[in-house]
Amino acid sequence: MAVTEPLPGTSDLWEPELFDWNELENKARDVFHRYGYCEVRTPIFERTDVFVHNLGESSDVVQKEMYTFEDRGGRSLTLRPEGTAAVIRAIANKGIEQGEEVRTFYMGPMFRGERPAAGRRRQFHQIGVEAVGSNSPWMDAECIAMLWFFLEKVGASGGKLLINSRGLPQDRPIISQALTEYFTPHISCMCEDCQRRLNMNVSRILDCKNPACQEIINGAPHISEMFCEESKQYFSRVCQALDKLGVPYEIAPRLVRGLDYYIHTVFEITHPGLGGQDAIAGGGRYRITPPGMKAAVEGIGFAAGMERILMARASRGVAAQGSTDMDVVVLCLGEAAVPQGLALGEKLRREMGGLRIKVDFSARSLKAQMRTANKYNSRIALILGEDELAKGQVLCRNMREASQESLALDKVSETISSILK
Ligand code: HAM
């Protein structure tokens, strides 16, 4: 690996690829604002306990994926592996009135020390939302519908929505007991992660993607059959609401998601345009206790991987429009013309809003500078040579028609407008 290359699982992003990224971010803002969500940006690093406490000691993210380090003051800090716990900390820090609803969205880099693969990065980017203050199943359904709409808007529709419930914390002892009884006789044939999960958090075994474990998992009892009445009711109301909103879904009885903070609704959207890492987005309802607070905050949200959305929409042939072309290139022939050329470029950028103007102040030959104009696909070349300087004029060349005329400097903007019309 060359020393200039970014580290494995990270990338440098450049235009034109970034046109797609920017489009995604702008469409996210547009869609989420329509539902009354407002943007928040939290720091890239947080105190480690913000994540450990809420994502769960037994989760893969906490066990093996967090970038955790000590700062100079001996504090344990972590590069955020996800947005939810950090956003809930930020909401708690701002203060929430009793019964107040707060709807937020965020976008930016997240960090997990996973083995890099197609669609699996160590620095990846999420667009996510978190809404707190409403404990209604309608809220869950609307949040999922918003994700569905967002994916449609960015050209990444065609996915499959998988949905399940984790029930309430009071359901867990019965579920854990039933799953422990089921898995214990099989555990010696299961992977190391499953063996660890048996004692730490047995329902997470259901999340294992290992094919050998899958066969055993397929025979496990369905957790939803052990739910209390309230959990069952909640889930059926979410499903009814999704039916009403026309969002198609499939109930996935083994979907538990990899983070411990979930209660009730959990969901994922998989997409056929992705490879082995086929989850384009995931989320659910959760209870998170911000640091220093006794009471948990309940919310609902999701996060979608930006890299994966881009892969999904590329698989459908969708790409952003964007270009690095220039409208005008100013060619300065000789050092003496450079100050005039620079001033002309500056004046036109200010006078003619939105125009892209590159001033070539290399003072190279006309031929070399014309190559620059062609490289930038420029519609117009403004040429400043000795003659033009002496007369207070500029030579304006229409690059498409290969025609040119000498103009007084104060007539340049008019002519540019008519050529670009
Ligand atoms: P998550 O399922 O861990 O959930 O991540 C959400 C999405 O981020 C995934 O579906 C995937 O598209 C993307 N993603 C995750 N890890 C990687 C990676 N290493 N490389 C590329 N993309 C990745 C959460 O993060 C929760 N905070 C979601 C949530 C919000 N739940 C409630 N609110």
Side-chain angles (χ1 to χ4, degrees):
M1 192 176 103
V3 283
T4 49
E5 264 183 51
L7 290 167
T10 70
S11 319
D12 299 320
L13 297 170
W14 291 89
E15 289 182 352
E17 202 185 337
L18 278 174
F19 294 139
D20 285 286
W21 288 73
N22 292 332
E23 185 181 286
L24 222 57
E25 292 177 0
N26 291 336
K27 290 203 166 158
R29 289 192 178 94
D30 169 39
V31 170
F32 302 154
H33 279 146
R34 294 193 207 189
Y35 288 79
Y37 285 68
C38 64
E39 187 166 357
V40 60
R41 295 187 194 196
T42 63
I44 300 286
F45 57 89
E46 296 272 350
R47 273 187 294 272
T48 299
D49 60 320
V50 169
F51 303 111
V52 171
H53 184 58
N54 289 300
L55 275 55
E57 301 265 5
S58 68
S59 66
D60 285 355
V61 174
V62 170
Q63 283 274 321
K64 14 182 205 193
E65 295 169 3
M66 290 204 310
Y67 283 101
T68 296
F69 57 97
E70 239 181 47
D71 74 356
R72 285 160 197 268
R75 281 171 293 241
S76 177
L77 305 179
T78 293
L79 297 184
R80 60 183 189 192
E82 59 107 53
T84 313
V87 168
I88 297 304
R89 179 209 49 72
I91 292 174
N93 184 50
K94 203 156 176 271
I96 331 168
E97 303 279 319
Q98 184 70 32
E100 186 194 359
E101 237 191 54
V102 183
R103 300 178 175 201
T104 56
F105 68 90
Y106 52 94
M107 48 191 86
M110 307 289 161
F111 305 86
R112 295 184 193 174
E114 296 189 80
R115 197 162 41 79
R120 190 169 60 209
R121 318 288 299 155
R122 290 185 173 160
Q123 175 173 333
F124 58 101
H125 299 75
Q126 285 186 340
I127 291 183
V129 314
E130 311 298 342
V132 306
S134 163
N135 299 347
S136 157
W138 294 109
M139 186 75 211
D140 301 23
E142 190 192 58
C143 185
I144 294 170
M146 180 169 79
L147 169 60
W148 199 248
F149 180 42
F150 167 62
L151 293 176
E152 245 170 61
K153 283 293 263 182
V154 296
S157 48
K160 186 164 34 162
L161 169 63
L162 304 171
I163 176 167
N164 195 22
S165 173
R166 295 285 325 258
L168 281 163
Q170 61 259 35
D171 301 325
R172 306 247 159 111
I174 300 173
I175 293 172
S176 297
Q177 197 188 339
L179 292 177
T180 308
E181 275 167 21
Y182 173 78
F183 284 117
T184 302
H186 300 286
I187 201 69
S188 57
C189 315
M190 300 185 83
C191 72
E192 267 178 32
D193 281 337
C194 286
Q195 294 184 4
R196 182 168 48 82
R197 288 166 184 158
L198 182 71
N199 297 320
M200 285 187 91
N201 191 346
V202 65
S203 55
R204 293 264 349 276
I205 292 184
L206 300 174
D207 201 37
C208 183
K209 305 285 183 291
N210 185 320
C213 301
Q214 278 287 324
E215 272 186 36
I216 299 166
I217 291 167
N218 284 341
H222 286 188
I223 57 173
S224 58
E225 285 157 13
M226 295 171 259
F227 286 163
C228 65
E229 204 43 42
E230 188 184 343
S231 299
K232 284 183 183 157
Q233 282 288 328
Y234 194 97
F235 188 50
S236 82
R237 286 172 67 198
V238 174
C239 295
Q240 278 165 22
L242 287 173
D243 292 336
K244 182 81 189 154
L245 293 169
V247 178
Y249 59 88
E250 192 181 302
I251 295 177
R254 315 246 177 254
L255 180 72
V256 286
R257 307 258 310 128
L259 305 166
D260 278 0
Y261 48 53
Y262 291 112
I263 57 161
H264 288 312
T265 321
V266 284
F267 56 93
E268 261 174 27
I269 295 184
T270 59
H271 198 282
L274 305 178
Q277 308 298 319
D278 65 350
I280 194 168
R285 178 163 284 279
Y286 50 79
R287 282 191 189 149
I288 284 182
T289 312
M293 281 179 67
K294 290 211 174 67
V297 174
E298 185 166 327
I300 169 89
F302 63 77
M306 290 180 71
E307 287 82 357
R308 296 192 193 174
I309 300 176
L310 292 172
M311 284 165 78
R313 70 183 213 143
S315 76
R316 300 169 62 83
V318 181
Q321 299 296 314
S323 110
T324 47
D325 290 353
M326 304 306 291
D327 299 303
V328 177
V329 171
V330 181
L331 312 186
C332 309
L333 303 183
E335 285 295 341
V338 170
Q340 182 69 279
L342 275 177
L344 180 61
E346 204 62 18
K347 178 169 164 284
L348 291 175
R349 283 188 202 103
R350 281 156 202 261
E351 278 176 7
M352 307 187 70
L355 221 59
R356 294 177 174 191
I357 302 174
K358 177 173 165 57
V359 179
D360 187 334
F361 40 77
S362 65
R364 291 171 303 163
S365 69
L366 175 63
K367 201 169 151 202
Q369 293 197 45
M370 283 303 272
R371 273 203 297 272
T372 308
N374 285 323
K375 179 176 156 204
Y376 286 98
N377 236 338
S378 183
R379 299 275 304 277
I380 295 166
L382 294 177
I383 303 164
L384 274 168
E386 262 177 43
D387 282 1
E388 286 77 21
L389 272 187
K391 293 189 214 151
Q393 289 187 331
V394 63
L395 191 63
C396 176
R397 185 173 174 82
N398 181 332
M399 300 288 284
R400 290 215 181 131
E401 293 179 4
S403 59
Q404 58 190 41
E405 61 180 313
S406 283
L407 299 171
L409 282 170
D410 60 355
K411 291 277 178 281
V412 176
S413 31
E414 223 172 274
T415 308
I416 290 179
S417 299
S418 76
I419 295 176
L420 294 179
K421 221 173 4 197

